[in-house]
């Protein structure tokens, strides 16, 4: 039944349509705004061992969506910082020293926008690197056939 194609489009587990893959090829933003695009891109990044930029981007996105205040915000920011930015971070993202410093200085008095520049930076890194390989015709063919 053709009618429920859009509902299927939203389910991360289902194979994407040709139209969806075309949209993904237009921009990384189209991938990141599509739950199925996100799911397939993350799977691809994990295969390439470079999922931390995406995971950071996603955690910051979720933080903004939840928009916590006070102690809860402090706790969540600290968790993101410890995972991705701090010296001991297990999934350290590749942002420059100036950006790290600015974030470090905001951890004790955090704001929802404190990761904005780092988020833009990792999107650029993904766009310049893995995104190009993700939208490669062969890779998208594999995804559409259920092997991506």
């Amino acid at each position: 039944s053709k009618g429920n194609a859009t509902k299927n489009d939203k389910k991360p587990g289902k194979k994407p349509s040709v139209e969806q893959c075309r949209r993904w090829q237009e921009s990384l933003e189209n991938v990141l705004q599509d739950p199925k695009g996100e799911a397939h891109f993350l799977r691809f990044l994990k295969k390439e061992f470079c999922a931390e930029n995406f995971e950071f981007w996603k955690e910051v996105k979720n933080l903004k969506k939840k928009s916590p205040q006070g102690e809860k915000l402090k706790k969540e920011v600290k968790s993101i910082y410890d995972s991705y930015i701090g010296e001991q971070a297990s999934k350290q993202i590749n942002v420059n020293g100036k950006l790290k410093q600015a974030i470090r200085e905001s951890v004790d008095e955090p704001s929802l926008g404190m990761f904005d520049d780092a988020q833009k930076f990792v999107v650029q890194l993904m766009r310049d690197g893995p995104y190009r390989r993700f939208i490669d015709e062969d890779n998208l063919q594999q995804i559409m056939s259920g092997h991506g």
Side-chain angles (χ1 to χ4, degrees), residues 74-111:
K74 254 187 190 171
K75 203 174 144 207
E76 300 215 8
V77 159
K78 180 95 175 80
S79 164
I80 293 174
Y81 177 81
D82 288 343
S83 297
Y84 300 98
I85 312 278
E87 295 310 310
Q88 309 301 316
S90 56
K91 306 178 187 180
Q92 205 166 55
I93 55 169
N94 188 7
V95 294
N96 65 44
K98 213 169 80 180
L99 207 46
K100 270 188 185 169
Q101 184 64 28
I103 293 170
R104 190 178 305 126
E105 289 168 4
S106 305
V107 170
D108 292 328
E109 291 181 27
S111 69

Side-chain angles (χ1 to χ4, degrees), residues 1-13:
S1 60
K2 210 74 181 120
N4 66 2
T6 54
K7 211 190 292 164
N8 250 357
D9 275 1
K10 293 273 180 275
K11 284 202 191 104

Side-chain angles (χ1 to χ4, degrees), residues 4 13 23 30 59 80 89 108-109 112 116 135:
N4 66 2
R23 284 198 301 272
N30 288 356
E59 281 202 39
I80 293 174
D108 292 328
E109 291 181 27
L112 279 178
D116 286 359
I135 58 169

